[in-house]
Amino acid sequence: MERTGTDFIRSMISRDLETGKYGGRVVTRFPPEPNGYLHIGHAKSICLNFGLAAEHEGGRCHLRFDDTNPTTEDETFVEAIKADIHWLGFDWGAHLYHASDYFERLYEYGVELIEKGLAYVDSSTEKEIQDLRGSVTEPGRNSPFRDRSVEENLDLFRRMRAGEFEDGAHVLRARIDMAHPNMVMRDPVLVRIRHAHHYRRGNDWPIYPLYDFAHCLSDSIEGITHSLCTLEFENNREIYDWLLLNTSAPEPRPEQTEFARLNLEYTITSKRKLKALVEEGHVRGWDDPRMPTLAGLRRRGVTPEAIRSFCDMVGVAKANSTIDLAKLDYAIRNDLNYRAPRAFAVLDPVPVVITNYQEGESEVFDAPSFPPDVGKPGTRSLPFSRDIYIDRSDFAEDPPKGYRRLVPGGEVRLKHAYVIRLERVVKDGNGDVSLLECTYDPASRGGATADGRKIGGTIHWVSRAQAVPATVRLYEPLFTVADPSNAEDFRLVLNPESERVLGGAVVEPGAAAVRPGTHLQFERSGYFFADPADSTDGSVVFNRVVGLRDGWKPPALESGEAEQAPRSASPSRPPPSTGEVAGDRGDPRDSLKAPEHLDRYDAMVAAGAPEGLASNLARDAELAALFRGGEPESDGHGGALAKWLVHEVGRARDESGANLEDLVPQALGRLVAAVEAGRFSHHQGRGLLESLLEGTTLEDAAKGLGEADDDGAIDDILSGLMDSNPDKVEAYREGKEGLLGFFVGQALRQADGRPDPKRVSERARALLGS
């Protein structure tokens, strides 16, 4: 498979292939210990090792179970690991191996080291060995058994193999240097006695190799060329090389290379701690949707494609770092946007009666299963009647400023249906809202008004007669701190709100009929997954996979600073629909399939739009039309217009339900040109955009901004605030400069947010300092 990205590991392999170091072979391995379930951190190593093998003709990746600890390993974990790797989309073919198959050969290597005077049997206790090891500032001391003869060592080692001694009686140690600056090299233990049942070997093998001894020699036995480990094994590379150099391991010898492990915010990946979460009942099992295990992610509804994409975005680095959890959410959202049909679900229902709709009448609306930018066909039927449900969050009796949903006397658009007006709020004896009485505009079928009046917002709904109850589980991070591994006790930072179960939700009929394991986007709520274990016929349980809000965006390609992330071997992924760049770090045109998308892309790039933004806009017919109409008015600022469309206009539509039908493209172009020319600040531009979305002309929207930005008008407001707050003025002048924010915030509030905050801050600083 052709490689489309590069990193230091791929560069190293390319050099090895050019020099013929391993005869043109690329053989990697993924060596899990079968003592737990794989987690998101393992996914990076899986994608890297299997991906590298697939990128090179004849390459292969071995799956080797590092099963050298009989007390913790189990066949159950072996099968779970194999299932997880297959689920991720990788296969080892005929190359399934176990370190336990090499016990005899490892024993022979131990004999070889003894015969060379490079290993000895130590009869010290574990504590004595530890005490003699020294520290990073002090050299270790030799064991009293270090100078045993070769003959005595061979005799003791053979008797260890025969099972004559109890656990802990002896160990085999490498004979290197107890003053070595790398403490790993201070006569490391290679083999220990362990009388325990092994899940594959039974009770016939009483001695077990330690990781450092088994790791490198197993690699050599299998003909591994590139042994890739995470950075915590960096100090172990020296013993890896020493053992291969000082045994009869064939050449060319494998080489160990370290890369940064995947550390994710709000997540722990320690098997010990994950096991405690399960055994102490903090979660329901290894596949609890809150767990970072691959089984848990799969149960929540995360797809293997999303995980592979996430690992690609993270890339391969030499230094450890912590990855923003929002980056994983971005990869999940990008994938599900393409595959999840849309549906209506009201999570916190409040009943609505449309008083002027004929009682007993009903109708059906056809709604698209996917938005236009996804480009997939399909419709669904939405029954409509006099009695419906809306979400409680879409109604406010005393709305905050800027609220664009249902308010007393106000109108909203029921998506795909009619415009309704709230006439009366009915409350129960406790003062809680029990019913909203509304009227509808019969001429607004489909959402458009006959008289052209502007409607503030669009909300979703479900017909009460056809509403189907459903259980909805909302998930948040399992921990309340970004780095729970550093907490004194990780149990103390568990998030009590990591799972919220909504028992009163209702969904449209089509959503209730999906099979377990189906993805849906509940419009305006998030992406959900019909739980494959808890859903039954007639009773669906939906897990929220990820919300709709995007907390992370990939770096823009046009910045020239985007890291070249490698592509793991995986099926082609659907293109993203939001963010600045398409998922592929290659040519953005490669992700555009439809001819009209390519035409739009080429036109937008020619007009100055950055490639990454143009790629996304090309797939969104509505935003692309706004670019086409607005660009001639943008005074050559096509790139800025593209950014406004993706980050401001698209977000207003997707997150706030803004209706773009009222937005005049030419007005948007003139707004962008004015902001770029410095006539308005970006902050002011956002405010003007809100007015444009409501159908106001740019000229009318801008009235008053000039006066508001006039220094005299700003000074009048600030002077009034200073007169009203002499104590704060005095405190500021005595050194409490944080109070500057108080005066700026109050001034902006009095001016309805119209002035440029930067200018207000400058004037406030000047007046307060005088």
Side-chain angles (χ1 to χ4, degrees):
M1 179 177 294
E2 183 180 354
R3 175 165 52 86
T4 58
T6 189
D7 52 62
F8 74 98
I9 289 178
R10 286 173 165 84
S11 297
M12 172 190 70
I13 291 176
S14 294
R15 289 193 299 270
D16 291 344
L17 290 173
E18 290 171 2
T19 61
K21 183 174 183 178
Y22 295 105
R25 295 181 305 120
V26 175
V27 185
T28 60
R29 85 287 177 272
F30 176 65
E33 183 179 359
N35 63 351
Y37 288 80
L38 298 182
H39 52 67
I40 186 67
H42 291 114
K44 177 177 178 179
S45 181
I46 293 170
C47 290
L48 177 61
N49 281 285
F50 280 94
L52 285 168
E55 288 169 13
H56 297 90
E57 185 177 356
R60 67 177 190 264
C61 180
H62 295 185
L63 172 60
R64 180 204 311 143
F65 287 100
D66 184 21
D67 52 355
T68 60
N69 189 348
T71 61
T72 62
E73 297 158 356
D74 189 271
E75 185 70 30
T76 301
F77 295 127
V78 170
E79 294 305 316
I81 289 170
K82 289 160 68 175
D84 282 344
I85 296 173
H86 274 145
W87 175 73
L88 269 181
F90 301 105
D91 187 79
W92 50 90
H95 299 286
L96 174 64
Y97 303 99
H98 299 79
S100 55
D101 287 335
Y102 308 141
F103 284 172
E104 287 83 357
R105 292 187 67 176
L106 294 174
Y107 171 76
E108 292 169 2
Y109 278 126
V111 170
E112 179 184 352
L113 288 171
I114 292 173
E115 290 175 341
K116 290 180 176 179
L118 297 176
Y120 63 96
V121 173
D122 192 345
S123 304
S124 304
T125 66
E126 183 177 354
K127 184 178 185 307
E128 289 169 341
I129 291 174
Q130 185 63 34
D131 290 344
L132 291 172
R133 193 166 178 239
S135 68
V136 293
T137 58
E138 295 181 359
R141 290 170 288 152
N142 290 342
S143 163
F145 304 100
R146 196 174 193 266
D147 294 325
R148 276 174 166 158
S149 66
V150 169
E151 292 73 21
E152 184 180 6
N153 283 319
L154 287 172
D155 176 66
L156 288 170
F157 192 46
R158 290 180 182 127
R159 292 165 65 189
M160 288 169 61
R161 165 66 186 89
E164 290 186 25
F165 305 112
E166 298 295 322
D167 289 3
H170 307 287
V171 294
L172 180 69
R173 297 179 68 179
R175 196 173 192 273
I176 304 176
D177 181 1
M178 288 302 294
H180 200 287
N182 181 356
M183 293 183 66
V184 172
M185 299 296 287
R186 294 181 184 178
D187 290 11
V189 175
L190 305 179
V191 180
R192 61 183 175 177
I193 301 171
R194 181 77 84 229
H195 292 278
H197 180 83
H198 190 278
Y199 76 99
R200 293 187 73 244
R201 301 297 299 260
N203 297 312
D204 72 337
W205 198 262
I207 57 174
Y208 287 87
L210 273 73
Y211 171 84
D212 281 331
F213 190 48
H215 174 211
C216 58
L217 294 170
S218 296
D219 284 348
S220 175
I221 290 168
E222 293 178 16
I224 302 300
T225 59
H226 299 87
S227 181
L228 309 178
C229 302
T230 46
L231 279 173
E232 61 263 37
F233 295 102
E234 185 174 17
N235 288 338
N236 301 66
R237 189 197 320 152
E238 198 164 359
I239 186 63
Y240 183 102
D241 293 340
W242 186 92
L243 285 165
L244 292 176
L245 182 65
N246 288 287
T247 60
S248 55
E251 295 190 21
R253 304 182 186 95
E255 291 185 359
Q256 175 178 304
T257 303
E258 304 84 22
F259 62 94
R261 63 182 298 169
L262 198 163
N263 299 309
L264 191 62
E265 280 186 334
Y266 299 96
T267 304
I268 58 172
T269 53
S270 159
K271 288 182 181 179
R272 176 181 61 82
K273 293 178 180 178
L274 292 177
K275 184 178 180 182
L277 288 175
V278 174
E279 293 182 348
E280 295 172 13
H282 300 292
V283 294
R284 289 188 296 276
W286 288 96
D287 67 343
D288 188 296
R290 293 166 290 179
M291 289 282 276
T293 56
L294 296 185
L297 292 167
R298 179 167 61 243
R299 176 81 176 274
R300 195 173 102 201
V302 178
T303 66
E305 293 85 356
I307 293 177
R308 293 198 301 265
S309 175
F310 171 62
C311 291
D312 286 342
M313 286 191 293
V314 170
V316 182
K318 294 182 179 181
N320 280 325
S321 62
T322 300
I323 306 301
D324 189 341
L325 186 60
K327 187 177 284 191
L328 174 59
D329 289 346
Y330 173 86
I332 298 169
R333 191 181 296 108
N334 241 11
D335 176 72
L336 294 182
N337 175 62
Y338 185 83
R339 70 177 68 245
R342 275 46 171 176
F344 283 170
V346 178
L347 304 188
D348 186 10
V350 58
V352 173
V353 59
I354 303 173
T355 57
N356 64 332
Y357 194 93
Q358 184 65 42
E359 195 165 359
E361 293 291 324
S362 65
E363 56 188 305
V364 176
F365 291 94
D366 286 333
S369 297
F370 293 92
D373 63 293
V374 171
K376 295 179 72 173
T379 60
R380 66 192 201 270
S381 296
L382 291 177
F384 183 83
S385 63
R386 170 187 173 94
D387 297 294
I388 64 173
Y389 287 116
I390 68 170
D391 202 283
R392 197 170 298 273
S393 64
D394 284 331
F395 157 73
E397 194 169 13
D398 183 18
K401 183 179 178 180
Y403 190 79
R404 299 169 61 88
R405 285 162 277 173
L406 193 60
V407 300
E411 290 183 311
V412 294
R413 181 180 292 103
L414 298 177
K415 193 166 188 180
H416 305 305
Y418 294 104
V419 171
I420 62 171
R421 177 188 296 274
L422 177 56
E423 307 291 354
R424 180 168 174 257
V425 178
V426 180
K427 299 183 178 181
D428 60 20
N430 297 321
D432 297 324
V433 175
S434 59
L435 180 69
L436 301 177
E437 292 184 357
C438 295
T439 56
Y440 85 114
D441 176 1
S444 65
R445 193 178 199 279
T449 57
D451 59 4
R453 69 184 183 278
K454 310 307 177 185
I455 307 300
T458 301
I459 64 174
H460 62 285
W461 51 275
V462 173
S463 175
R464 288 170 66 183
Q466 291 82 19
V468 181
T471 299
V472 174
R473 299 193 290 222
L474 304 180
Y475 291 108
E476 300 292 344
L478 189 54
F479 296 94
T480 59
V481 296
D483 188 5
S485 60
N486 277 344
E488 182 178 351
D489 184 343
F490 67 93
R491 301 167 185 84
L492 299 179
V493 292
L494 282 167
N495 180 8
E497 299 294 322
S498 60
E499 179 184 64
R500 287 190 295 134
V501 180
L502 307 181
V506 293
V507 299
E508 66 175 73
V514 300
R515 284 187 265 178
T518 300
H519 292 93
L520 292 173
Q521 186 203 97
F522 290 161
E523 297 196 48
R524 303 178 64 238
S525 297
Y527 292 97
F528 289 78
F529 183 63
D531 190 289
D534 293 340
S535 296
T536 59
D537 290 339
S539 179
V540 187
V541 177
F542 289 103
N543 300 328
R544 183 171 67 186
V545 189
V546 68
L548 293 179
R549 289 186 176 272
D550 203 355
W552 177 86
K553 300 288 184 186
L557 285 179
E558 68 271 17
S559 70
E561 298 176 356
E563 178 184 351
Q564 286 295 315
R567 310 304 310 167
S568 63
S570 62
S572 60
R573 298 186 311 283
S577 70
T578 59
E580 293 186 0
V581 294
D584 194 345
R585 298 295 181 96
D587 184 354
R589 298 179 95 260
D590 294 342
S591 66
L592 302 174
K593 307 301 182 186
E596 63 270 22
H597 293 173
L598 289 167
D599 291 343
R600 292 174 193 159
Y601 172 85
D602 290 339
M604 284 187 277
V605 170
E611 292 179 350
L613 296 174
S615 173
N616 285 323
L617 290 172
R619 286 186 293 268
D620 191 315
E622 191 170 33
L623 295 182
L626 287 169
F627 183 92
R628 186 168 58 253
E631 191 275 329
E633 300 291 329
S634 69
D635 196 23
H637 294 293
L641 177 61
K643 291 179 182 178
W644 273 80
L645 283 166
V646 169
H647 298 306
E648 306 296 347
V649 179
R651 182 170 298 174
R653 178 193 64 184
D654 299 336
E655 298 180 4
S656 303
N659 182 11
L660 302 190
E661 295 173 0
D662 298 328
L663 180 58
V664 178
Q666 293 80 1
L668 176 63
R670 291 197 299 274
L671 170 61
V672 171
V675 171
E676 291 299 305
R679 285 180 50 208
F680 306 124
S681 69
H682 194 89
H683 168 82
Q684 291 173 321
R686 284 177 172 172
L688 291 170
L689 175 62
E690 291 183 8
S691 298
L692 294 184
L693 289 168
E694 295 171 355
T696 307
T697 67
L698 180 60
E699 291 71 21
D700 288 343
K703 285 179 181 177
L705 279 185
E707 293 82 354
D709 264 343
D710 178 74
D711 284 355
I714 295 173
D715 289 356
D716 287 345
I717 295 173
L718 288 169
S719 296
L721 288 169
M722 292 169 65
D723 292 342
S724 302
N725 299 275
D727 54 334
K728 289 183 171 60
V729 173
E730 183 179 357
Y732 174 85
R733 290 172 175 169
E734 290 178 351
K736 294 185 178 180
E737 295 187 359
L739 286 169
L740 178 69
F742 166 79
F743 290 100
V744 173
Q746 292 296 317
L748 288 171
R749 188 171 294 112
Q750 288 191 23
D752 293 327
R754 291 178 298 164
D756 181 359
K758 182 179 179 181
R759 186 57 183 159
V760 174
S761 179
E762 291 172 353
R763 294 307 306 154
R765 195 181 301 275
L767 292 174
L768 287 166
S770 59

